[in-house]
Amino acid sequence: MLMKARVLFTVLTILIVCGCQSTAQIQTRVTPQLLDDSLFPSHHYYSVESADAVFFLDEDAQRFAERAVLEKSITEKNVKGLVKAIFDRSDKGMRYLTTANTVANTTFNNRTANCLSLSIMTFALAEHAGLEATFYEVKIPEYWTRQSGYSMLNGHINLRVSVPEDPLITSVGSRWADVDFDPQMLRDQFPRVSVSKNTVLSMFYNNKGADALVANSYTKAYSYFKAAAEMDPLHQQSWVNLGVLYRMVDAYEQSERAYKHALSLNDDNLTAWENLSILYYYQDRHQEAATIKEMVETRRRNNPFYHYILGEQALEEGNAEIALVHYQKGLRLDNTRHEILFGVAKAYHELGDVSKAQAFLERASRHSPNDQEKQRYASKVASLASNN
Protein backbone atom coordinates (compact mmCIF):
# COMPACT_ATOMS: atom_id res chain seq x y z
CA MET A 1 0.00 0.00 0.00
CA LEU A 2 1.59 3.26 -1.11
CA MET A 3 1.01 6.07 1.31
CA LYS A 4 1.60 9.72 0.86
CA ALA A 5 0.47 12.62 2.93
CA ARG A 6 -1.49 15.68 2.05
CA VAL A 7 -3.54 18.29 3.84
CA LEU A 8 -7.22 18.26 2.81
CA PHE A 9 -7.71 20.78 4.56
CA THR A 10 -10.66 18.89 4.44
CA VAL A 11 -9.04 20.28 4.10
CA LEU A 12 -8.42 17.79 3.96
CA THR A 13 -7.87 17.32 2.45
CA ILE A 14 -5.66 18.62 3.79
CA LEU A 15 -4.32 18.92 3.51
CA ILE A 16 -3.05 16.93 4.21
CA VAL A 17 0.13 16.28 6.75
CA CYS A 18 -0.47 14.33 9.94
CA GLY A 19 1.21 13.02 13.02
CA CYS A 20 3.67 15.84 13.73
CA GLN A 21 5.25 16.01 17.14
CA SER A 22 6.90 18.97 18.80
CA THR A 23 10.34 19.23 17.23
CA ALA A 24 11.47 22.60 18.51
CA GLN A 25 14.66 21.13 20.04
CA ILE A 26 15.64 19.16 16.93
CA GLN A 27 18.16 20.59 14.51
CA THR A 28 18.27 19.31 10.94
CA ARG A 29 20.20 20.20 7.82
CA VAL A 30 19.10 19.78 4.24
CA THR A 31 21.95 17.90 2.58
CA PRO A 32 22.62 16.66 -0.97
CA GLN A 33 22.04 13.12 0.31
CA LEU A 34 18.47 14.07 1.31
CA LEU A 35 17.74 16.32 -1.66
CA ASP A 36 19.26 14.69 -4.72
CA ASP A 37 18.86 17.17 -7.60
CA SER A 38 20.85 14.87 -9.90
CA LEU A 39 17.81 12.57 -10.15
CA PHE A 40 15.69 15.41 -11.51
CA PRO A 41 18.12 17.72 -13.35
CA SER A 42 15.37 19.82 -14.97
CA HIS A 43 13.37 20.42 -11.79
CA HIS A 44 14.29 24.12 -11.77
CA TYR A 45 12.16 24.62 -14.89
CA TYR A 46 9.09 24.22 -12.68
CA SER A 47 8.48 27.46 -10.81
CA VAL A 48 7.14 27.16 -7.29
CA GLU A 49 4.83 29.87 -5.98
CA SER A 50 6.58 32.29 -3.64
CA ALA A 51 5.19 33.05 -0.18
CA ASP A 52 4.02 36.44 -1.47
CA ALA A 53 2.18 34.77 -4.35
CA VAL A 54 0.49 32.21 -2.08
CA PHE A 55 -0.92 34.93 0.22
CA PHE A 56 -1.50 37.66 -2.39
CA LEU A 57 -4.94 39.34 -2.59
CA ASP A 58 -6.15 41.56 -5.43
CA GLU A 59 -8.08 44.79 -4.87
CA ASP A 60 -11.49 43.10 -4.93
CA ALA A 61 -10.44 40.69 -2.19
CA GLN A 62 -8.91 43.47 -0.13
CA ARG A 63 -12.08 45.58 -0.32
CA PHE A 64 -14.13 42.51 0.62
CA ALA A 65 -12.04 42.07 3.78
CA GLU A 66 -12.34 45.73 4.69
CA ARG A 67 -16.14 45.79 4.26
CA ALA A 68 -16.55 42.60 6.28
CA VAL A 69 -14.35 43.60 9.22
CA LEU A 70 -14.49 47.35 9.62
CA GLU A 71 -17.50 48.87 11.38
CA LYS A 72 -17.89 52.62 11.94
CA SER A 73 -14.17 53.35 12.02
CA ILE A 74 -10.77 51.80 11.44
CA THR A 75 -10.54 50.99 15.17
CA GLU A 76 -13.71 48.87 15.32
CA LYS A 77 -13.19 45.29 14.14
CA ASN A 78 -15.84 42.62 13.53
CA VAL A 79 -14.21 39.18 13.59
CA LYS A 80 -17.35 37.13 13.11
CA GLY A 81 -18.38 39.49 10.32
CA LEU A 82 -15.39 38.31 8.27
CA VAL A 83 -16.08 34.62 8.87
CA LYS A 84 -19.77 35.00 8.05
CA ALA A 85 -18.99 36.97 4.90
CA ILE A 86 -16.58 34.27 3.67
CA PHE A 87 -19.13 31.47 4.00
CA ASP A 88 -22.09 33.58 2.78
CA ARG A 89 -20.31 35.13 -0.20
CA SER A 90 -22.27 33.18 -2.80
CA ASP A 91 -25.73 31.61 -2.88
CA LYS A 92 -24.24 28.18 -2.25
CA GLY A 93 -21.60 29.41 0.20
CA MET A 94 -17.94 28.49 0.11
CA ARG A 95 -17.75 25.11 -1.62
CA TYR A 96 -15.54 22.33 -0.27
CA LEU A 97 -13.34 20.46 -2.75
CA THR A 98 -10.57 18.11 -1.61
CA THR A 99 -8.32 18.92 -4.57
CA ALA A 100 -8.63 22.72 -4.33
CA ASN A 101 -4.95 23.30 -3.62
CA THR A 102 -5.03 26.96 -4.60
CA VAL A 103 -3.39 30.23 -3.58
CA ALA A 104 -5.39 32.79 -1.59
CA ASN A 105 -6.56 34.93 -4.50
CA THR A 106 -7.63 31.97 -6.64
CA THR A 107 -9.52 30.52 -3.70
CA PHE A 108 -11.29 33.84 -3.20
CA ASN A 109 -12.33 34.12 -6.83
CA ASN A 110 -13.28 30.44 -7.29
CA ARG A 111 -15.18 30.31 -3.97
CA THR A 112 -13.94 26.74 -3.66
CA ALA A 113 -11.44 25.46 -1.11
CA ASN A 114 -10.13 22.62 0.96
CA CYS A 115 -9.19 23.18 4.59
CA LEU A 116 -5.66 24.36 3.74
CA SER A 117 -6.61 26.79 1.00
CA LEU A 118 -9.53 28.09 3.12
CA SER A 119 -7.13 28.76 5.98
CA ILE A 120 -4.56 30.43 3.71
CA MET A 121 -7.20 32.70 2.14
CA THR A 122 -8.75 33.62 5.49
CA PHE A 123 -5.31 34.36 6.95
CA ALA A 124 -4.59 36.76 4.09
CA LEU A 125 -7.99 38.48 4.38
CA ALA A 126 -7.69 38.80 8.15
CA GLU A 127 -4.19 40.26 8.02
CA HIS A 128 -5.21 42.80 5.40
CA ALA A 129 -8.09 43.96 7.60
CA GLY A 130 -5.86 44.40 10.64
CA LEU A 131 -6.80 41.22 12.48
CA GLU A 132 -4.50 38.60 13.93
CA ALA A 133 -4.63 35.02 12.62
CA THR A 134 -3.05 31.81 13.88
CA PHE A 135 -2.82 28.52 12.00
CA TYR A 136 -3.50 25.30 13.92
CA GLU A 137 -2.74 21.73 12.91
CA VAL A 138 -5.44 19.45 14.32
CA LYS A 139 -4.21 16.14 15.71
CA ILE A 140 -6.81 13.89 14.13
CA PRO A 141 -6.39 10.10 13.97
CA GLU A 142 -4.84 8.74 10.78
CA TYR A 143 -7.38 9.16 7.99
CA TRP A 144 -7.03 8.14 4.35
CA THR A 145 -8.78 8.69 1.04
CA ARG A 146 -8.16 7.04 -2.32
CA GLN A 147 -7.18 9.00 -5.41
CA SER A 148 -5.96 7.59 -8.73
CA GLY A 149 -4.75 4.38 -7.12
CA TYR A 150 -2.97 6.11 -4.23
CA SER A 151 -3.82 6.00 -0.54
CA MET A 152 -3.67 9.61 0.59
CA LEU A 153 -3.08 10.31 4.27
CA ASN A 154 -5.07 13.39 5.17
CA GLY A 155 -4.24 15.98 7.76
CA HIS A 156 -6.39 18.82 9.02
CA ILE A 157 -5.72 22.46 9.66
CA ASN A 158 -7.85 25.36 10.84
CA LEU A 159 -7.45 28.98 11.81
CA ARG A 160 -8.27 31.31 14.68
CA VAL A 161 -8.90 34.94 13.79
CA SER A 162 -8.81 37.49 16.61
CA VAL A 163 -8.81 41.20 17.37
CA PRO A 164 -5.32 42.46 18.29
CA GLU A 165 -4.64 43.22 21.95
CA ASP A 166 -4.54 46.95 21.42
CA PRO A 167 -6.31 49.46 23.70
CA LEU A 168 -7.08 51.62 20.67
CA ILE A 169 -8.96 48.81 18.89
CA THR A 170 -12.42 47.71 19.99
CA SER A 171 -14.20 44.51 19.14
CA VAL A 172 -17.70 44.30 17.73
CA GLY A 173 -19.00 41.14 19.42
CA SER A 174 -16.59 38.29 20.13
CA ARG A 175 -12.85 39.00 20.03
CA TRP A 176 -12.08 35.77 18.16
CA ALA A 177 -13.55 33.13 15.86
CA ASP A 178 -12.36 29.72 14.64
CA VAL A 179 -12.58 29.02 10.92
CA ASP A 180 -13.13 25.42 9.82
CA PHE A 181 -15.08 23.71 7.06
CA ASP A 182 -16.03 20.89 9.42
CA PRO A 183 -17.75 22.08 12.62
CA GLN A 184 -17.42 18.54 13.98
CA MET A 185 -13.66 19.06 14.17
CA LEU A 186 -14.26 21.94 16.59
CA ARG A 187 -16.91 20.06 18.57
CA ASP A 188 -14.78 16.91 18.94
CA GLN A 189 -12.07 18.93 20.66
CA PHE A 190 -9.17 17.14 19.01
CA PRO A 191 -5.92 18.57 20.35
CA ARG A 192 -4.30 21.11 18.08
CA VAL A 193 -0.99 22.95 17.97
CA SER A 194 -0.20 26.29 16.43
CA VAL A 195 2.02 26.13 13.36
CA SER A 196 4.03 28.80 11.64
CA LYS A 197 3.42 30.40 8.27
CA ASN A 198 6.48 28.55 6.97
CA THR A 199 4.99 25.20 8.01
CA VAL A 200 1.75 26.07 6.24
CA LEU A 201 3.70 26.94 3.10
CA SER A 202 5.47 23.59 3.40
CA MET A 203 2.05 21.90 3.61
CA PHE A 204 0.91 23.82 0.51
CA TYR A 205 3.99 22.75 -1.47
CA ASN A 206 3.49 19.15 -0.32
CA ASN A 207 -0.09 19.22 -1.60
CA LYS A 208 1.04 20.59 -4.95
CA GLY A 209 3.76 17.96 -5.11
CA ALA A 210 1.23 15.22 -4.37
CA ASP A 211 -0.95 16.51 -7.22
CA ALA A 212 2.05 16.29 -9.56
CA LEU A 213 2.94 12.80 -8.34
CA VAL A 214 -0.58 11.53 -9.01
CA ALA A 215 -0.31 13.03 -12.50
CA ASN A 216 2.99 11.12 -13.03
CA SER A 217 4.92 14.40 -13.32
CA TYR A 218 7.82 13.28 -11.15
CA THR A 219 10.17 16.17 -11.87
CA LYS A 220 7.49 18.70 -10.98
CA ALA A 221 6.69 16.72 -7.84
CA TYR A 222 10.35 16.87 -6.83
CA SER A 223 10.41 20.64 -7.36
CA TYR A 224 7.51 21.06 -4.90
CA PHE A 225 8.68 18.48 -2.35
CA LYS A 226 12.12 20.07 -2.34
CA ALA A 227 10.55 23.50 -1.76
CA ALA A 228 8.47 22.02 1.08
CA ALA A 229 11.52 20.50 2.76
CA GLU A 230 13.55 23.70 2.43
CA MET A 231 10.70 25.87 3.69
CA ASP A 232 10.35 23.79 6.89
CA PRO A 233 13.05 21.11 7.31
CA LEU A 234 11.38 19.84 10.51
CA HIS A 235 8.15 19.01 8.71
CA GLN A 236 8.35 15.22 8.59
CA GLN A 237 5.89 14.60 5.80
CA SER A 238 8.06 16.35 3.22
CA TRP A 239 10.71 13.69 3.76
CA VAL A 240 8.16 10.87 3.59
CA ASN A 241 6.85 12.24 0.30
CA LEU A 242 10.37 12.55 -1.06
CA GLY A 243 11.00 8.95 -0.01
CA VAL A 244 7.95 7.82 -1.99
CA LEU A 245 9.09 9.78 -5.03
CA TYR A 246 12.65 8.42 -4.84
CA ARG A 247 11.33 4.87 -4.60
CA MET A 248 9.13 5.41 -7.65
CA VAL A 249 12.21 6.32 -9.73
CA ASP A 250 14.15 3.33 -8.31
CA ALA A 251 16.47 5.50 -6.18
CA TYR A 252 16.28 3.08 -3.25
CA GLU A 253 19.22 4.40 -1.22
CA GLN A 254 17.89 7.97 -1.36
CA SER A 255 14.42 6.70 -0.49
CA GLU A 256 15.66 4.88 2.62
CA ARG A 257 17.61 7.95 3.75
CA ALA A 258 14.53 10.13 3.39
CA TYR A 259 12.30 7.75 5.40
CA LYS A 260 14.88 7.34 8.13
CA HIS A 261 15.34 11.09 8.32
CA ALA A 262 11.57 11.50 8.82
CA LEU A 263 11.75 8.89 11.59
CA SER A 264 14.65 10.75 13.21
CA LEU A 265 12.25 13.69 13.57
CA ASN A 266 9.43 11.50 14.89
CA ASP A 267 9.86 7.79 15.53
CA ASP A 268 6.06 7.43 15.79
CA ASN A 269 5.42 8.39 12.17
CA LEU A 270 3.61 5.25 11.00
CA THR A 271 3.42 6.51 7.42
CA ALA A 272 7.22 6.63 7.28
CA TRP A 273 7.47 3.18 8.83
CA GLU A 274 4.93 1.72 6.40
CA ASN A 275 6.69 3.15 3.37
CA LEU A 276 10.02 1.89 4.68
CA SER A 277 8.46 -1.58 4.86
CA ILE A 278 7.29 -1.28 1.26
CA LEU A 279 10.78 -0.20 0.20
CA TYR A 280 12.31 -3.22 1.93
CA TYR A 281 9.96 -5.54 0.02
CA TYR A 282 11.17 -3.95 -3.23
CA GLN A 283 14.73 -4.69 -2.10
CA ASP A 284 13.88 -8.31 -1.19
CA ARG A 285 14.54 -7.55 2.48
CA HIS A 286 11.42 -9.50 3.38
CA GLN A 287 12.09 -10.23 7.06
CA GLU A 288 12.76 -6.56 7.87
CA ALA A 289 9.70 -5.56 5.86
CA ALA A 290 7.44 -8.08 7.60
CA THR A 291 8.59 -7.01 11.08
CA ILE A 292 7.78 -3.37 10.37
CA LYS A 293 4.47 -4.21 8.71
CA GLU A 294 3.34 -6.25 11.72
CA MET A 295 4.21 -3.39 14.08
CA VAL A 296 2.31 -0.85 11.96
CA GLU A 297 -0.78 -3.07 11.62
CA THR A 298 -0.86 -3.74 15.37
CA ARG A 299 -0.78 -0.03 16.15
CA ARG A 300 -3.46 0.77 13.58
CA ARG A 301 -5.84 -2.05 14.49
CA ASN A 302 -8.18 0.17 16.52
CA ASN A 303 -8.36 2.94 13.92
CA PRO A 304 -11.63 2.65 11.95
CA PHE A 305 -10.11 4.42 8.96
CA TYR A 306 -7.38 1.81 8.68
CA HIS A 307 -10.07 -0.77 7.97
CA TYR A 308 -11.86 1.71 5.74
CA ILE A 309 -8.86 2.22 3.46
CA LEU A 310 -8.34 -1.54 3.23
CA GLY A 311 -11.96 -1.76 2.11
CA GLU A 312 -11.41 0.95 -0.49
CA GLN A 313 -8.42 -0.90 -1.89
CA ALA A 314 -10.27 -4.22 -1.99
CA LEU A 315 -13.19 -2.59 -3.79
CA GLU A 316 -10.86 -1.08 -6.40
CA GLU A 317 -9.47 -4.57 -6.96
CA GLY A 318 -12.98 -5.94 -7.55
CA ASN A 319 -13.24 -7.83 -4.25
CA ALA A 320 -16.54 -6.51 -2.91
CA GLU A 321 -16.99 -9.29 -0.35
CA ILE A 322 -13.54 -8.67 1.17
CA ALA A 323 -14.19 -4.91 1.04
CA LEU A 324 -17.42 -5.36 2.98
CA VAL A 325 -15.58 -7.28 5.72
CA HIS A 326 -13.08 -4.41 6.09
CA TYR A 327 -15.78 -1.73 6.08
CA GLN A 328 -17.77 -3.60 8.72
CA LYS A 329 -14.71 -3.80 10.96
CA GLY A 330 -14.42 -0.04 10.64
CA LEU A 331 -18.11 0.41 11.46
CA ARG A 332 -17.76 -1.64 14.61
CA LEU A 333 -15.18 0.88 15.78
CA ASP A 334 -17.14 3.98 14.68
CA ASN A 335 -20.61 3.76 13.13
CA THR A 336 -20.99 7.51 12.61
CA ARG A 337 -18.42 8.17 9.88
CA HIS A 338 -20.11 8.94 6.58
CA GLU A 339 -17.13 7.72 4.55
CA ILE A 340 -17.30 4.23 6.04
CA LEU A 341 -21.09 4.08 5.69
CA PHE A 342 -20.70 5.05 2.04
CA GLY A 343 -18.10 2.32 1.62
CA VAL A 344 -20.57 -0.27 2.95
CA ALA A 345 -23.18 1.08 0.52
CA LYS A 346 -20.77 0.72 -2.41
CA ALA A 347 -19.90 -2.84 -1.43
CA TYR A 348 -23.55 -3.88 -1.13
CA HIS A 349 -24.29 -2.26 -4.49
CA GLU A 350 -21.47 -4.25 -6.11
CA LEU A 351 -22.88 -7.40 -4.51
CA GLY A 352 -26.32 -6.66 -5.98
CA ASP A 353 -28.12 -5.81 -2.71
CA VAL A 354 -29.69 -2.50 -3.74
CA SER A 355 -31.93 -2.28 -0.68
CA LYS A 356 -29.01 -2.39 1.78
CA ALA A 357 -26.98 -0.08 -0.44
CA GLN A 358 -29.76 2.51 -0.30
CA ALA A 359 -30.14 2.14 3.48
CA PHE A 360 -26.43 2.77 4.09
CA LEU A 361 -26.41 5.70 1.65
CA GLU A 362 -29.18 7.29 3.67
CA ARG A 363 -27.21 6.75 6.86
CA ALA A 364 -24.13 8.29 5.23
CA SER A 365 -26.19 11.32 4.27
CA ARG A 366 -27.45 11.78 7.84
CA HIS A 367 -23.88 11.84 9.14
CA SER A 368 -22.49 14.13 6.42
CA PRO A 369 -20.42 17.09 7.68
CA ASN A 370 -21.55 19.62 5.05
CA ASP A 371 -24.23 20.40 2.48
CA GLN A 372 -22.09 19.31 -0.47
CA GLU A 373 -21.75 15.78 0.91
CA LYS A 374 -25.46 15.62 1.80
CA GLN A 375 -26.38 16.62 -1.75
CA ARG A 376 -23.97 14.05 -3.19
CA TYR A 377 -25.50 11.24 -1.15
CA ALA A 378 -29.04 12.44 -1.81
CA SER A 379 -28.46 12.27 -5.57
CA LYS A 380 -27.06 8.74 -5.25
CA VAL A 381 -30.07 7.66 -3.15
CA ALA A 382 -32.42 9.16 -5.75
CA SER A 383 -30.54 7.39 -8.55
CA LEU A 384 -30.80 4.05 -6.79
CA ALA A 385 -34.52 4.58 -6.11
CA SER A 386 -35.23 5.43 -9.74
CA ASN A 387 -33.43 2.30 -10.96
CA ASN A 388 -35.02 0.04 -8.40
Side-chain angles (χ1 to χ4, degrees):
M1 179 169 62
L2 175 62
M3 303 300 303
K4 56 186 173 48
R6 64 185 307 174
V7 176
L8 291 170
F9 283 168
T10 128
V11 232
L12 94 350
T13 308
I14 256 326
L15 45 81
I16 49 81
V17 182
C18 238
C20 292
Q21 65 175 20
S22 174
T23 53
Q25 303 304 314
I26 298 174
Q27 300 297 318
T28 188
R29 291 187 304 113
V30 177
T31 66
Q33 289 74 32
L34 292 171
L35 292 177
D36 193 342
D37 292 356
S38 67
L39 294 171
F40 307 95
S42 59
H43 76 276
H44 56 279
Y45 291 119
Y46 290 97
S47 60
V48 171
E49 297 88 339
S50 67
D52 287 343
V54 171
F55 289 93
F56 169 78
L57 296 174
D58 62 20
E59 290 185 5
D60 286 344
Q62 292 176 8
R63 285 195 296 270
F64 169 84
E66 293 161 6
R67 288 194 302 269
V69 172
L70 302 181
E71 289 290 316
K72 295 178 181 178
S73 72
I74 194 72
T75 61
E76 289 185 311
K77 310 283 187 180
N78 185 350
V79 172
K80 289 193 178 292
L82 175 63
V83 178
K84 185 176 186 301
I86 288 171
F87 285 102
D88 291 350
R89 189 162 160 256
S90 65
D91 292 339
K92 296 183 179 179
M94 178 64 71
R95 190 168 70 95
Y96 175 79
L97 182 64
T98 300
T99 56
N101 298 311
T102 50
V103 299
N105 209 60
T106 301
T107 304
F108 178 82
N109 288 309
N110 289 352
R111 307 183 189 197
T112 300
N114 58 30
C115 68
L116 179 58
S117 54
L118 173 70
S119 297
I120 288 171
M121 179 195 71
T122 305
F123 182 96
L125 291 168
E127 278 210 328
H128 177 75
L131 298 174
E132 293 181 347
T134 304
F135 293 108
Y136 287 93
E137 183 182 2
V138 184
K139 300 300 185 178
I140 61 174
E142 286 187 309
Y143 162 58
W144 297 268
T145 54
R146 290 289 286 174
Q147 181 180 338
S148 302
Y150 289 83
S151 293
M152 312 287 271
L153 181 65
N154 293 260
H156 192 70
I157 190 170
N158 57 30
L159 189 76
R160 174 163 289 187
V161 181
S162 57
V163 175
E165 293 293 337
D166 186 330
L168 300 179
I169 297 177
T170 58
S171 172
V172 178
S174 175
R175 295 192 65 85
W176 60 270
D178 285 329
V179 182
D180 198 311
F181 258 125
D182 187 356
Q184 188 65 37
M185 286 293 179
L186 299 173
R187 290 195 297 270
D188 283 347
Q189 294 297 303
F190 288 114
R192 64 180 188 172
V193 294
S194 61
V195 291
S196 69
K197 193 173 180 179
N198 279 3
T199 299
V200 170
L201 282 166
S202 180
M203 293 175 177
F204 177 79
Y205 296 147
N206 267 305
N207 277 11
K208 299 287 284 189
D211 288 341
L213 192 61
V214 168
N216 297 318
S217 182
Y218 296 159
T219 299
K220 183 177 182 180
Y222 178 76
S223 182
Y224 274 108
F225 291 152
K226 178 182 179 180
E230 290 177 334
M231 181 58 64
D232 184 359
L234 298 180
H235 191 216
Q236 306 145 39
Q237 221 51 56
S238 302
W239 303 110
V240 178
N241 288 346
L242 278 163
V244 172
L245 178 61
Y246 289 148
R247 203 255 305 154
M248 293 179 74
V249 297
D250 299 328
Y252 292 164
E253 289 184 13
Q254 293 91 329
S255 179
E256 183 172 1
R257 278 197 292 267
Y259 293 145
K260 288 186 173 179
H261 184 68
L263 290 168
S264 75
L265 298 175
N266 178 10
D267 190 56
D268 290 327
N269 191 322
L270 296 183
T271 310
W273 279 116
E274 181 174 39
N275 276 294
L276 184 60
S277 173
I278 293 168
L279 175 66
Y280 285 165
Y281 274 116
Y282 272 80
Q283 296 176 302
D284 294 325
R285 297 161 67 177
H286 296 296
Q287 185 56 53
E288 292 171 276
T291 300
I292 294 172
K293 182 181 179 183
E294 182 179 0
M295 178 271 291
V296 171
E297 289 180 347
T298 298
R299 293 175 63 177
R300 285 176 170 165
R301 195 165 291 151
N302 292 325
N303 180 352
F305 278 102
Y306 172 62
H307 302 286
Y308 162 76
I309 200 62
L310 293 179
E312 292 287 279
Q313 291 169 348
L315 201 63
E316 283 185 12
E317 294 165 2
N319 298 320
E321 290 183 354
I322 295 175
L324 185 59
V325 170
H326 288 304
Y327 291 136
Q328 288 173 334
K329 286 181 180 178
L331 274 189
R332 283 196 289 272
L333 293 168
D334 187 343
N335 63 5
T336 66
R337 297 302 309 195
H338 70 98
E339 303 95 331
I340 304 176
L341 291 163
F342 181 42
V344 175
K346 290 188 294 184
Y348 274 127
H349 187 264
E350 288 297 311
L351 294 170
D353 195 331
V354 176
S355 177
K356 284 187 177 179
Q358 184 169 343
F360 277 95
L361 269 176
E362 290 170 351
R363 286 179 62 185
S365 179
R366 288 198 297 273
H367 290 286
S368 298
N370 54 57
D371 289 340
Q372 285 83 22
E373 290 290 353
K374 288 185 186 296
Q375 291 168 7
R376 183 166 72 98
Y377 291 134
S379 66
K380 291 180 182 296
V381 170
S383 177
L384 276 181
S386 65
N387 293 327
N388 204 350

